Every structure is written in C-alpha cells, then in structure tokens.
Amino acid sequence: MSVRPMMNRDSQFFWDGTAVGELRIQRCNACEALRFPPGPACPDCGAFDRGHVVAAGTGTVFSYVVHRHPPVPGKELPIVIALVDLDEGVRMVAEVVDAVSDETGDAEIEIGTRLRVDFNRVDDDLTLPIWRLDTPRPSATRRPEDV
Ligand code: ZN
C-alpha cells in the first residue's frame, strides 16, 4: 500500500494534467494570479472563475529534507522532499529522485539547486509528479544576450 494524494474537485485539473505529462498551476481567470495549492476562490481578488496554466516544469530548491527513517509505505529510503519554487512563482512540495549518492549516501541537492519535473505513472488513476536534478548541458547554457 502506498500513500495516495487527496483528489477533489479543486485539484482534479492538476491530476488530469500529470496524467498527460503536464504540471498545471491554478490561475484566477479574473486577475490572472497563480496559486498553489488549488482552491475554490482566488485569495487575491475572491473570484471563483478558475483556470490553469501549464508550468515549464522547472524550479529552484527553497528548502529540503532527506528522509532516512522511519520507513514510509511504498518508498525506498532515503527520499528527498523539497520545497521547490517554480519559475512561475508558486511553491510546492516535491519528491526529488536520484538526489542521494548511492556511494556516499550524501544528498546531491542544496538550496538553490535547479530541478526539473518528471512524471511517475502509478496506475490508471494516478500519475505523480517527481523531480530530478536539472543538470544543464553545455549546449543549453545561454547567456541573456544570446536569447
Ligand atoms: Zn483573482
């Protein structure tokens, strides 16, 4: 048995997104404010008119913990749980995979580490977002004036 996230009317769009490989962020259609976690009303303007945007799927570690014990059902320890600041400006909890060295057991993550989302299909009803270290390739490194 593994832990399943809560799904309800407010978060269904998020899980519909992960199922098709999209990380969706709720957006107020009235004032365009982004928010996470999703909810029925906009905390900025109070509107109930909700939409969403598809995030780029990249962000920066705000803080993190390495969980080594006690055991977690359905998980192989250690696991890294981070708070990630998405480039769109919202913060969410992220499970980061492949972030602990097999040899030393040391976390290969720190505050400010860049992460990129991936998706772990659990079953027909559930696809979980997971995060990996976003290691820039040399060809992908561009200075602002090259953009
Ligand atoms: Zn609003």
Side-chain angles (χ1 to χ4, degrees), residues 28 30-31 33 42 44-47:
C28 174
C31 73
C42 175
D44 286 1
C45 75

Side-chain angles (χ1 to χ4, degrees), residues 106-123:
D106 292 337
E108 296 173 331
I109 185 173
E110 57 189 25
I111 291 166
T113 298
R114 293 287 294 168
L115 300 177
R116 177 174 293 278
V117 77
D118 198 356
F119 297 94
N120 176 28
R121 183 184 162 84
V122 178
D123 57 36

